[in-house]
Structure formats: structure tokens, C-alpha cells
Amino acid sequence: MDILYKGDERVRRSLEELCTKVAAETEASLVAIAEYHSPSQGVRWTYADRPLNERYKRMNVMYGKGVAGRVLQTGTAFRCENVADLPLPLREYPIVLSEKIRAFVALPIITPSLFGAVVFIAYRSPHALPDKKVCDRVSSYIQAYFQEREAVE
């Protein structure tokens, strides 16, 4: 991963490159990042690689709700091989509904100064989910990105 410099453009480009790398490694249809937003005390999707639309930018779910809110609340990965098996109605998972997701894994990312973030690796057609080794590697990529971003801010 490139060294990050001050300035949103460089940070954004590095995040795009990282998510593209994750998508290629996992064969994902969508890789998205959500972050805890302290002013609203909610969770917002801040970046998506290959989204169907721009709706993710307007999504703000309460802590504990939706895919990202649940992952941040529990601090554990959320794996779903078939969205028909989700515990709540599909409308409770706006990113899944909006992006027409069929299977996904959402991984928690925690750093010393970041309350929390989530990396969402999703598939729009039935697909086997990445194994634990791949998920651990992806988590370490994203965690390193956030730690470097914090260092330049």
C-alpha cells in the first residue's frame, strides 16, 4: 500500500486502490467501508468500490442496526451466505437491499484512535464467502490503511 500524504485526494486514491485489491482477491462484486460517525452516533458508508448507485452515501444507520451497525456493536464478523436467511427483514439491511446483494461478509476494523469501521465484502450472485485466512488478511490491509490515515491527520 502506498504511503499516505495529507490531502483527501491522496487518501481517497489509496482507499480506492486498496478496495480494488480486496475485490480482486476475494472476487467480490462490491467492497464497501463504513465508519462510526460520532456527531450522529450512527454508522455511515464512506466508500464503495463498484456500487450500483450512489445511495450508500446517504445511508446512516444507528449503532447496532443494519450490517455495519451490528458488526460495530458486536465487534465480530457478520457472515451471510444467503440473504434469504438473514434474521431480520431485508429492509433492515439498507446496503444489502440497495446494492442487490445475495451473500456477504462484514468485518470489524478497530484501531487505537478509531472507534470502529467495517469492511463489507459482498456478492450480487450466489458465491462462496472468503475463508478466515483471507478475511484476516483483508482486515489487516484495512486496519493498516486506517492507522496510516490517522498518522497523517
Side-chain angles (χ1 to χ4, degrees):
M1 181 169 51
D2 294 338
I3 297 173
L4 303 179
Y5 297 99
K6 287 187 179 180
D8 290 341
E9 182 179 328
R10 181 66 181 176
V11 170
R12 175 63 62 184
R13 192 168 73 218
S14 294
L15 184 58
E16 289 171 1
E17 292 166 358
L18 180 59
C19 288
T20 299
K21 177 181 178 177
V22 170
E25 187 172 329
T26 61
E27 301 176 348
S29 304
L30 173 74
V31 174
I33 305 291
E35 296 178 62
Y36 180 75
H37 185 251
S38 56
S40 68
Q41 296 185 344
V43 182
R44 291 188 177 172
W45 293 98
T46 56
Y47 179 76
D49 179 59
R50 296 182 286 172
L52 292 178
N53 53 60
E54 299 290 310
R55 290 183 195 147
Y56 76 92
K57 293 180 180 178
R58 297 186 304 274
M59 291 179 191
N60 186 33
V61 296
M62 296 306 297
Y63 182 76
K65 303 292 182 186
V67 173
R70 175 180 166 176
V71 170
L72 287 180
Q73 184 180 45
T74 63
T76 60
F78 183 1
R79 298 176 64 86
C80 177
E81 294 188 20
N82 183 348
V83 297
D85 299 332
L86 285 168
L88 298 173
L90 201 52
R91 71 177 178 275
E92 299 295 325
Y93 305 96
I95 192 78
V96 173
L97 191 59
S98 174
E99 292 293 331
K100 300 180 180 175
I101 301 302
R102 301 280 302 273
F104 66 85
V105 61
L107 307 169
I109 306 298
I110 299 171
T111 67
S113 62
L114 179 71
F115 178 75
V118 174
V119 60
F120 182 67
I121 302 166
Y123 303 90
R124 294 190 179 102
S125 58
H127 194 283
L129 298 179
D131 63 23
K132 182 173 177 8
K133 185 177 178 182
V134 172
C135 289
D136 289 346
R137 190 167 49 246
V138 166
S139 291
S140 68
Y141 295 158
I142 304 294
Q143 187 170 21
Y145 163 80
F146 279 110
Q147 287 173 334
E148 288 181 28
R149 186 181 81 174
E150 292 166 5
V152 298
E153 289 180 344

